Amino acid sequence: MNPDVRHDVSRDAPRRPDRHRPPATHRARANRRGASLPSPAGTRRENISAILRRTAHGHCTFDDAVRLLSLPPDSPDALRLRRAAHRAGLRWTGGRGHIWFAIGMDGAPCPRSCAFCSFGERWGLAGTPWRLAGDEAVAAIRAHDVPGVGYIVLRTTDLFPLDDLAEIARRVMPLRHARLVANVGDFREDTARRLHGAGFRMIYHALRLREGMDTGIAPAVRLRTMHAAMAGGLALAALADPAGPEHDAREIARALFLHKCAGADVLGAMARVPVPGTPKHGLGAVTPERHAQLTAVARLVAEPRVPAICAHPPHALLAESGANVLVVEHGAIPRDTQRAHAAWRSFSLDDAAAMLRAAGYRVG
Ligand code: SF4
């Protein structure tokens, strides 16, 4: 992947012939820029209706996404958006929901010191380093390889040796129900092939929002890893991550389109959890309604080709807004200062399955 893709996407959405695009009137041009609309009564509603009709049929432009992300989250139009995304999600996924079970394999101060992460060395929150023993990891993976769990994710800090991770993967292969996913630091194609050879089938690797400003990693490095992963046979999962109140519509849309253009099989929206003691804590968190709105737009941007929309942390609104993948976490949690010895925030596999079923999905 060309590192410049971020710049290209930010300036200009992926071009798709759009037979439904309205005439290029002054108002339509303003709409595409995401400008506010000094409209005659009813015009705004008609415009949003047209966008929802188009996007629910699998044609979502960058400008559509910006318009939908610019809606007030508690507005009637935002509610219509979430309902449209929910219906589209049920249709495009065949009504199948999945659980993403993540194991935080180790906790340690991380020199990258991302501004939202409890492991950041500079924030002094990580405490004494620890690692899950290989036998414990193998037991946890086997215990959670059950119907309904579509992904088992091994998440590590940069300090966890990848050879040890690969060995754990080899010990648990083959899994009966889940795909094994790695969420690790940056790497090159030879490492991707090694992970794939050990049994991993996917990597979680996003270009985080404000990467390089709020994180200690250059955007080009993240993009290079995505490319290396896919060249090495690993599928890609990448969410708009970690979304906070300070991220505007265009930033979120850029993240969604960039990951879609990169070929991700799992898209979605991760809301930032404000961890006390991290620089981002004071900015707070998005509301559940805003998170649901981001999830809904992710569903529509993804179009039918992308089978999985993941949203985290969980909330019932998310499964009713286009998410068909919910996350259950154990172990080291970058959103928390405490290790989760059971399901993080007591949100279990059963809770995730019940939430998805209540939204109309079949699980397991
Ligand atoms: S998000 Fe990842 S890279 Fe950044 S500080 Fe946390 S563990 Fe390190």
Side-chain angles (χ1 to χ4, degrees):
M1 182 190 312
N2 182 344
D4 288 343
V5 69
R6 182 171 189 240
H7 183 62
D8 292 339
V9 170
S10 72
R11 281 191 318 197
D12 203 354
R15 295 292 184 194
R16 171 191 301 282
D18 190 350
R19 286 166 294 157
H20 305 287
R21 185 181 289 282
T25 61
H26 171 77
R27 184 173 307 286
R29 282 195 297 273
N31 289 354
R32 288 198 295 275
R33 287 196 302 269
S36 61
L37 298 173
S39 316
T43 302
R44 182 183 179 89
R45 185 171 182 81
E46 287 166 11
N47 286 342
I48 294 298
S49 295
I51 291 172
L52 290 179
R53 271 197 303 279
R54 183 169 56 250
T55 54
H57 283 88
H59 304 287
C60 184
T61 67
F62 182 84
D63 298 325
D64 292 335
V66 171
R67 283 290 315 283
L68 296 173
L69 288 163
S70 300
L71 296 170
D74 53 358
S75 66
D77 279 343
L79 179 60
R80 294 170 60 220
L81 157 65
R82 283 161 24 205
R83 287 178 174 162
H86 186 201
R87 288 192 297 272
L90 287 168
R91 203 166 61 245
W92 294 343
T93 63
R96 294 299 307 274
H98 304 279
I99 297 167
W100 174 282
F101 180 73
I103 305 172
M105 300 287 292
D106 64 332
C110 173
R112 305 294 189 183
S113 291
C114 300
F116 44 80
C117 178
S118 63
F119 300 141
E121 191 173 46
R122 282 158 56 192
W123 328 136
L125 304 169
T128 307
W130 61 270
R131 269 178 61 180
L132 201 63
D135 288 349
E136 290 178 278
V138 167
I141 293 166
R142 289 195 174 129
H144 293 88
D145 181 27
V146 296
V149 176
Y151 314 85
I152 294 180
V153 187
L154 306 187
R155 183 175 58 221
T156 74
T157 70
D158 277 3
L159 306 176
F160 197 101
L162 286 184
D163 283 342
D164 292 1
L165 198 70
E167 178 57 24
I168 290 168
R170 273 190 287 272
R171 287 178 61 188
V172 297
M173 283 295 126
L175 296 182
R176 288 171 302 163
H177 302 283
R179 280 203 274 183
L180 198 59
V181 183
N183 183 351
V184 299
D186 289 281
F187 56 76
R188 295 188 180 266
E189 189 177 328
D190 57 337
T191 300
R193 294 193 187 286
R194 204 148 45 96
L195 292 172
H196 186 271
F200 287 98
R201 291 295 172 261
M202 178 178 276
I203 180 166
Y204 181 81
H205 209 79
L207 185 76
R208 278 86 54 92
L209 294 159
R210 302 189 187 178
E211 190 81 67
M213 292 185 283
D214 288 346
T215 73
I217 304 173
V221 173
R222 302 288 291 181
L223 293 168
R224 189 185 65 202
T225 300
M226 288 184 204
H227 176 78
M230 297 182 80
L234 298 166
L236 177 67
L239 276 54
D241 168 13
E246 75 276 22
H247 298 119
D248 66 21
R250 298 187 77 84
E251 287 180 279
I252 301 288
R254 276 197 298 268
L256 294 173
F257 272 94
L258 184 138
H259 295 145
K260 178 187 172 188
C261 292
D265 280 347
V266 180
L267 292 171
M270 177 106 65
R272 186 183 66 239
V273 174
V275 180
T278 60
K280 286 281 186 170
H281 174 249
L283 294 176
V286 295
T287 63
E289 288 75 14
R290 177 64 174 164
H291 191 190
Q293 180 182 13
L294 306 185
T295 302
V297 176
R299 177 63 275 174
L300 298 176
V301 166
E303 301 179 348
R305 185 195 68 76
V306 179
I309 299 297
C310 178
H312 190 60
H315 191 286
L317 279 185
L318 306 176
E320 296 165 356
S321 304
N324 67 324
V325 178
L326 296 177
V327 179
V328 173
E329 293 188 277
H330 276 229
I333 313 284
R335 288 162 275 285
D336 207 325
T337 53
Q338 301 297 315
R339 176 178 174 178
H341 291 278
W344 184 58
R345 293 186 168 177
S346 303
F347 186 78
S348 67
L349 295 191
D350 287 346
D351 294 329
M355 202 174 270
L356 287 165
R357 287 189 184 113
Y361 292 100
R362 294 190 312 283
V363 182

